[in-house]
Structures are given as C-alpha cells and as structure tokens.
Amino acid sequence: MMLLRAGIGRLAWRNLWRNRRRTLIMLLAVVVGVWAMVFMSAMMRGMVDEMVRNGLDQLPGEVQIHHRDYRDDPSVVNSIAPPAGDLLAALQQPPVSAWSARVRVPAMVSSAHGSRGVTLLGVDPAAERALGSAPRTMVAGRFLDGVDDRGVVLGQRLVERLETGLGKRVVIMSQDPDNNVADRGVRVVGIYSARLPGDEERFVYGGRAAIQELLGIGHQVSEVAVIGDGYRAVAPWAARVAAAAPELEVLSWRQLDPFLDAMLTLQDGFALVFMVVVFQALSFGLVNTLAMAVFERVREIGLMQALGMRPGLVLQQVLLESVFLLGLGLALGNALAWLSIKPLESGIDLSSVARGMEMFAMGSILYPALDWRDMLLSTVVVLGLGLLASLIPAWRAARLDPVRALNSH
Amino acid sequence: MTAISCRELCKTFRQGEELITGLDRVSLDIDSGSFVSLSGPSGSGKTTLLNAMGGLDTPDSGQVTVGGTRIDGLDRGERADMRLHNIGFVFQAYNLVPVLSAQENVEFVMQVQGVAAAERQRRAREVLDDVGLAGMEGRLPGELSGGQQQRVAVARAIAARPKLVLADEPTANLDSHSAAQLMGLFVELNEQRGVTFVMSTHDTRVMAYARRLISMRDGRIVEDRAQEPRPMNL
Ligand SMILES: Nc1ncnc2c1ncn2[C@@H]1O[C@H](COP(=O)(O)OP(=O)(O)OP(=O)(O)O)[C@@H](O)[C@H]1O
Ligand SMILES: [Mg+2]
C-alpha cells in the first residue's frame, strides 16, 4: 500500500499530537458530537419504536383481515367466517407466528352510576396472548378463561368512571345484525391497566363465543389479526395471506395506519438530518484545526515536497491526520454512547410528562433503542463529510509551491 | 559523464510592475563526480540556478538535463519524482522534519522511494555513522546542534544514492568549526564515493574546498574556473 510505504501514517499520527491541546479539544468536540448523534438517534428510535408498537397493539397485529366493507362500517353486519381452508393454511405457515380471530363491535357499558361508549372485543384469550394484544397487567381479578367466559374484563379507568368494581355487574349493550338491541348483564371478572391510559377506557374484553351468542352472529368474527417476525418485514407474507383470501380485505399495518408508516420512514431521515446538523457544527472546528495545522507547517510541507514527495501524497497525509482524529473521536464517541444508553435500555420513566406524551401514542416509559445502524450512519456521516471538509486544507497543502514554502517564515 | 547540463536558461521574476532577472542565458555542464561552488553577490541568481537544476522551479526558457533526461517542462508530480530519485538536497536551514528522529529523517526519502524497511534502516544507520552521528539516531532535530542537523541533512541526501547533491548555502547558519566539518564531509563523500556536489556559498573559505569555482552576477556566469582544493583552517 502506497500510504504505508511512504510512512505518512506515522508522520500524520505524530503531527496530530504536536499541538496536543488543540487536538484534544477537537477530539473532545468530535466525541461529544458523535455521542450526541448516536444518543439522540437511540432516543428517537426508542420513541418511534414505542409509537409503532403501541400503534400495533391498538390495531392490533401487523396484518388484519376484514370483510371488504368493515372499515367503512365496523358493525356486526360486516363480519366474516373464521379462517378455514386456504386462509387457515396460510396462517399456519411461517413467518406468521400468531393470529387471532376476534369480534369487535361498538357497544355501551352501563353501571348503576353511568354508562360509557366502548369497543367490545370478543376474543380467544389464548390467541390474544400469543398475539401480544391481551392486557399486560391485571390490576385485579383475572383475564378471561376461554372463549366461553361470560364475564368481562374492564380497564381501570373505566371502572373508576363507572364507579364499579371487581365482581360487580355491568350491562353491555350493542346491536345484532338486524339492528335490534342486544344486551346482557355480566360480571366484571378482571380489571386491567394499559400502557396508554386512553385504552383503559376504550376496550372491554369478553369471551368470543359468549359475545357471538350475545350478538347472534354464530361463529362469525369481525377481524383476524396476524403477526409475523417483525413489523418492518411484513409485505411478503401479507401478500401471501391476501392471495389465500381473495374475497376479503387483507391489509398490513402500513396501510391500516399510514401515520405510523410515515413515522417509521421519517425516522431514518430525521436521524440523518440530525447527524448532518451536528456534523456541520463540527466541520468548522475540523477545517480550522487542519488549516491551522497546515499553516504552521508550511515550511515542512515545502521541504517534503522539495525532497520528492508528490502533491498527492501531501494531500493524503493531511487527510490521514483528519482520519486519525475522526476515527479516534468516532471510537470514543460511540463507546460513550453505548455506555450511556445501555443502562437506560430498561426504560426511562417519563410519567411526569406522560399525559403530554399520550398524544403521540407514547407510553410513560421511554426505551432508548441503540441500533448498530445508527452507529454506522454516524460513522459514515462523520468520516465521509469529515474527509470532504478536510479536502480544503489538504488541497491547500498539496498546492504549496516547495520553493516558496521553504522560504516562508 | 555529464551530471547536469544547462542550455540558455532564462528566468525572470515579476515583482509588481518590476521585472527582475533571475537567470540570463545561463549555459553550463557539470561532470559527474565534480565538486562545484557557486558564488556571487546576493541576488546574483545562485539559488535560482540551483532550483532550476534541481527541478524545484522551471526556467522560462532553455533546457535542463539531469543524468541524460530533460527535466524542464515536466509537471509538478513528474518533477517531484525526478527529485526523489535523482537529487539530494541540503538547504541552508530548516532541513529536517521536526517530528521525525535523525534516523527517521534520513529514512524519509528512501521511504517515499519505496526502499524496504530493513534495507532503509541499515543504510540510514551506516550513513549516520559516516557523517559522525553514531549514537544520535534517535534524537529529534530540536535535540541536535545546527551543525549536527546539517549533517543529518547530508546523510539523508546521500543515503538515497542520488546522482547529485545540491546544497544552497549549507554552511550559512554554522559556526566556522561546524562549517569546516561539513566541508570535510563533502570532500570525503565526493572523493570516496564520487558523489557530485554543487553548492552555493558566500564564504570564500568554503569555496576553497571546491574543485571548480563558478561566479555569478546579475543572473549570468561571469567566471568559471578549476582550482586545486585548498582546505583551510576555518
Ligand atoms: N520568487 C521570487 N520573486 C521575485 N523575485 C525573485 C524571486 N526569487 C528570486 N528573485 C529575485 O531574483 C534574483 C536572483 O535571486 P536568487 O535568490 O537566485 O539570488 P541568490 O544569488 O541566491 O542570492 P542570495 O545570495 O541572497 O541567496 C534576485 O534579484 C531576487 O530578488
Ligand atoms: Mg540564494
């Protein structure tokens, strides 16, 4: 290799430490800049991941299967038969990891003290758990036993609003396919808490068969929610499921919630923009540091050129100095970011500001997500743009006229 | 054999409105193995001529041939290569790279040339020994006296085995004892190794070491004669 042969690596390294103070200051700036890039990206990624996860919980599932008219009119009329035949076969094939057929209708829950509009979910508890959409935390009582469970599970906030409690009776009221009121008194068998307080007021769970019986819809369901092996890679298997159920509407979360989709797409863009902005601040210091370093060494550079060092090699030497500085800064900055994020990955409690965050579909705990791709991106940005910026002083050094440079004072 | 040949070299500098003559139709042949001194008043064109012969600068017109190859008209990179492989330089001052040790400074040119590390180190140590700096290989330039620094520069110039060494006032910053030592070294390298030396100097006592004396004035050669070297007690 030309560089090593000419020994300019050693030269560049020693030159870097000639002005120890200046180099250390610049190094510190790079370290802090890189740390900020990676740390902020991890925060943003944690935030967006959280939003997407919460969003998927709400949907729920990465893919949903509905009657073609369900989304326009989510009533019992637009229900579908539970998966069978080709569709069932498609749902049993990897990467599909879980699915749940559920009844989902608008309903009213009343206690002695009031009533509330809710979304009534008739579910198979085992399937919901596999899907990850069963309530995570039970505050009191239990979740449903099975599809035949005739009790209901309410959110804590709803219980408070209705001034009811565990073991008490409430009345749920909805419509059957013939627009007749279907109502039934049921017992509250469990109270859950949700990550998003709003969910606690919205979702009421009942056994699927019990709800189907209440609504008089036989074995029909409103939707089938499906998950695979990660929300980012949903397109291929969603298409396969759709092909197995041509008469139904099969949509991925990207189509179901375009906002989430946009968030996810924007996030990578945000990270890049943020990094470039931070780099901008660094680049002035970097160019200045190198320009000073070149300026102080004009005679020496003239000497090396006089002795037969080609201008290209002079250019490389200055760039190499920059690479050493940036590389060191990147290594330390990334290490620092890693060290500062790892302990936070178990979650940062934001409950004091959680009410504001709910607007953005955020829970009250933020889980920063350190991603090697963000570290890679920061490295590419800092090294790539850094080298580009360093070209200015390096070019100046290479263009020096050896005779004049040697005679300058 | 001819080490350097110059034909009708002209160089004019422009300083504002003024045109300054650097070289005025200089023609000159220097044989391999010779020891030439360039003298003349300040501004007579000594440095300009050395720079043209060493490919550090290009003449406005005329031809320069080094070791049989025309070098006027080469581009920057080609001239750098030409210098790297053919010419050793000793400047008046600021000869060494401050962050490199004496040994590393001597190795520098060989390193750029691509000489293998072991060979390079062996040659550098040998030449440093020849110039009387054994034991000082690890010192940085700042830890050497002016005379020692110039000797490192000479070591570097000859370690790369150039066709000729160009020295522009190599003794100007030295006390007379160091100057005498350096000249003794030049003579020795010239006589024992056949290295061609062309040096410029103001100092008549330094000129005395040369075997050919060229005097310049106003960019021209006004005198060119052979002499029997008369090393003096400086
Ligand atoms: N880069 C330059 N720009 C303008 N004029 C120059 C330049 N270089 C040399 N000159 C002029 O050209 C003439 C010859 O200069 P040169 O340096 O060759 O003289 P010199 O004999 O080496 O003098 P000295 O003994 O002082 O080193 C001088 O008049 C000098 O002022
Ligand atoms: Mg001069």
Side-chain angles (χ1 to χ4, degrees):
Chain A
M1 189 148 152
M2 181 74 176
L3 290 182
L4 300 178
R5 199 185 71 187
I8 65 171
R10 178 172 61 191
L11 254 178
W13 179 255
R14 291 203 192 150
N15 280 329
L16 189 60
W17 297 105
R18 258 159 107 162
N19 192 329
R20 205 171 278 266
R21 209 169 83 103
R22 186 174 61 204
T23 298
L24 283 177
I25 290 173
M26 192 57 222
L27 185 63
L28 190 69
V30 177
V31 169
V32 171
V34 169
W35 172 81
M37 288 178 188
V38 176
F39 190 82
M40 281 306 294
S41 301
M43 291 302 224
M44 287 196 294
R45 199 174 280 280
M47 225 144 100
V48 171
D49 275 357
E50 178 77 354
M51 279 188 226
V52 172
R53 263 199 310 272
N54 282 332
L56 293 183
D57 275 1
Q58 298 239 300
L59 283 172
E62 292 156 13
V63 163
Q64 287 185 355
I65 306 169
H66 295 124
H67 189 281
R68 286 198 176 278
D69 296 326
Y70 177 82
R71 292 209 304 154
D72 286 337
D73 174 15
S75 75
V76 276
V77 189
N78 295 320
S79 52
I80 57 176
D86 284 353
L87 180 54
L88 187 59
L91 292 180
Q92 281 162 349
Q93 211 183 97
V96 173
S97 58
W99 60 274
S100 175
R102 15 165 55 210
V103 177
R104 180 183 177 126
V105 289
M108 186 82 96
V109 180
S110 311
S111 71
H113 297 278
S115 51
R116 287 261 155 184
V118 298
T119 298
L120 178 61
L121 300 171
V123 301
D124 171 353
E128 289 299 310
R129 276 199 198 94
L131 199 67
S133 64
R136 260 158 236 177
T137 321
M138 295 305 293
V139 178
R142 56 168 176 82
F143 194 56
L144 303 164
D145 275 341
V147 288
D148 296 319
D149 197 323
R150 300 182 72 85
V152 289
V153 174
L154 270 50
Q156 189 167 22
R157 298 241 297 209
L158 184 61
V159 168
E160 285 162 13
R161 300 272 156 152
L162 296 176
E163 294 178 43
T164 177
L166 188 66
K168 302 237 172 95
R169 291 185 73 85
V170 292
V171 176
I172 50 177
M173 203 185 329
S174 189
Q175 283 183 328
D176 70 12
D178 303 320
N179 276 347
N180 297 318
V181 171
D183 60 353
R184 178 190 287 165
V186 292
R187 195 172 298 280
V188 178
V189 297
I191 301 171
Y192 69 90
S193 73
R195 266 200 295 194
L196 302 185
D199 287 359
E200 292 180 11
E201 288 191 68
R202 187 163 159 216
F203 294 112
V204 171
Y205 294 84
R208 186 173 65 208
I211 301 296
Q212 283 165 335
E213 187 198 316
L214 167 70
L215 299 173
I217 52 174
H219 291 293
Q220 299 277 97
V221 294
S222 312
E223 68 186 12
V224 179
V226 194
I227 56 171
D229 58 352
Y231 59 79
R232 282 172 194 265
V234 77
W237 64 265
R240 215 166 50 229
V241 171
E247 74 287 357
L248 300 176
E249 184 180 58
V250 177
L251 296 174
S252 78
W253 65 272
R254 287 178 184 275
Q255 296 153 309
L256 290 163
D257 195 337
F259 173 73
L260 282 186
D261 184 32
M263 281 305 302
L264 202 62
T265 316
L266 274 179
Q267 186 222 352
D268 293 334
F270 276 141
L272 182 63
V273 168
F274 179 74
M275 287 180 183
V276 170
V277 167
V278 171
F279 179 81
Q280 283 269 286
L282 280 183
S283 67
F284 290 108
L286 181 68
V287 170
N288 250 305
T289 301
L290 286 176
M292 282 300 293
V294 167
F295 179 74
E296 288 167 358
R297 296 209 301 271
V298 164
R299 288 216 286 183
E300 199 175 315
I301 292 167
L303 172 69
M304 293 191 292
Q305 296 208 31
L307 294 178
M309 200 166 180
R310 270 177 167 257
L313 214 52
V314 174
L315 184 98
Q316 288 174 34
Q317 194 207 314
V318 177
L319 288 185
L320 207 57
E321 235 172 290
S322 174
V323 168
F324 284 151
L325 182 65
L326 295 173
L328 210 56
L330 275 165
L332 293 176
N334 273 310
L336 196 64
W338 191 84
L339 286 175
S340 58
I341 291 168
K342 274 293 156 187
L344 297 178
E345 275 187 340
S346 52
I348 306 169
D349 195 349
L350 298 175
S351 42
S352 53
V353 288
R355 258 160 229 283
M357 300 299 278
E358 195 188 340
M359 225 168 72
F360 303 106
M362 290 280 309
S364 55
I365 295 186
L366 172 59
Y367 300 91
L370 188 63
D371 192 317
W372 62 270
R373 280 169 304 184
D374 289 331
M375 294 174 124
L376 186 71
L377 186 64
S378 73
T379 303
V380 168
V381 165
V382 169
L383 264 189
L385 296 184
L387 276 181
L388 217 59
S390 309
L391 271 176
I392 305 163
W395 180 253
R396 253 187 236 153
R399 293 307 302 167
L400 284 173
D401 177 57
V403 175
R404 270 194 223 167
L406 261 175
N407 292 320
S408 70
H409 294 285
Chain B
M1 222 185 100
T2 307
I4 310 182
S5 150
C6 301
R7 287 287 164 274
E8 298 283 309
L9 289 188
C10 291
K11 179 81 180 180
T12 309
F13 296 103
R14 189 182 300 271
Q15 198 141 50
E17 297 286 283
E18 217 180 336
L19 289 180
I20 301 165
T21 304
L23 294 175
D24 185 8
R25 286 180 289 131
V26 171
S27 294
L28 174 69
D29 287 296
I30 293 172
D31 292 332
S32 291
S34 49
F35 189 166
V36 180
S37 142
L38 282 179
S39 61
S42 187
S44 56
K46 304 181 293 293
T47 298
T48 310
L49 179 58
L50 282 172
N51 287 349
M53 294 196 294
L56 278 170
D57 206 352
T58 46
D60 297 337
S61 64
Q63 305 175 0
V64 182
T65 308
V66 175
T69 311
R70 283 278 296 273
I71 64 160
D72 51 282
L74 296 182
D75 68 23
R76 269 170 69 90
E78 290 166 338
R79 276 188 282 133
D81 284 347
M82 192 285 296
R83 294 194 295 272
L84 180 66
H85 294 287
N86 298 308
I87 300 177
F89 288 96
V90 180
F91 300 103
Q92 178 179 335
Y94 213 81
N95 258 303
L96 306 179
V97 181
V99 287
L100 299 182
S101 67
Q103 164 103 14
E104 288 163 347
N105 262 288
V106 174
E107 285 184 38
F108 176 80
V109 172
M110 290 188 278
Q111 206 164 9
V112 180
Q113 283 178 339
V115 176
E119 163 76 358
R120 194 166 81 208
Q121 283 158 13
R122 188 186 61 73
R123 264 156 72 178
R125 232 174 281 121
E126 192 180 295
V127 179
L128 277 169
D129 191 31
D130 288 349
V131 301
L133 291 176
M136 302 195 185
E137 294 89 348
R139 293 209 195 170
L140 292 174
E143 300 162 350
L144 295 169
S145 73
Q148 289 168 335
Q149 288 184 29
Q150 289 303 76
R151 279 189 273 158
V152 174
V154 174
R156 177 186 58 207
I158 58 172
R161 303 198 175 142
K163 293 196 171 64
L164 78 152
V165 173
L166 301 179
D168 195 359
E169 305 199 33
T171 60
N173 289 351
L174 300 184
D175 59 77
S176 49
H177 177 67
S178 303
Q181 275 195 328
L182 192 69
M183 281 306 107
L185 184 61
F186 276 24
V187 170
E188 192 184 310
L189 291 167
N190 174 249
E191 286 176 352
Q192 290 176 9
R193 299 201 185 184
V195 179
T196 311
F197 279 90
V198 182
M199 66 169 182
S200 73
T201 183
H202 283 286
D203 190 334
T204 48
R205 293 173 300 181
V206 169
M207 287 170 218
Y209 285 85
R211 279 188 277 137
R212 182 175 169 190
L213 282 180
I214 296 174
S215 301
M216 298 186 69
R217 184 180 296 269
D218 300 329
R220 293 168 174 229
I221 293 176
V222 292
E223 193 188 356
D224 184 348
R225 62 181 170 84
Q227 70 167 10
E228 204 45 48
R230 302 166 274 121
M232 303 194 254
N233 299 328
L234 293 181

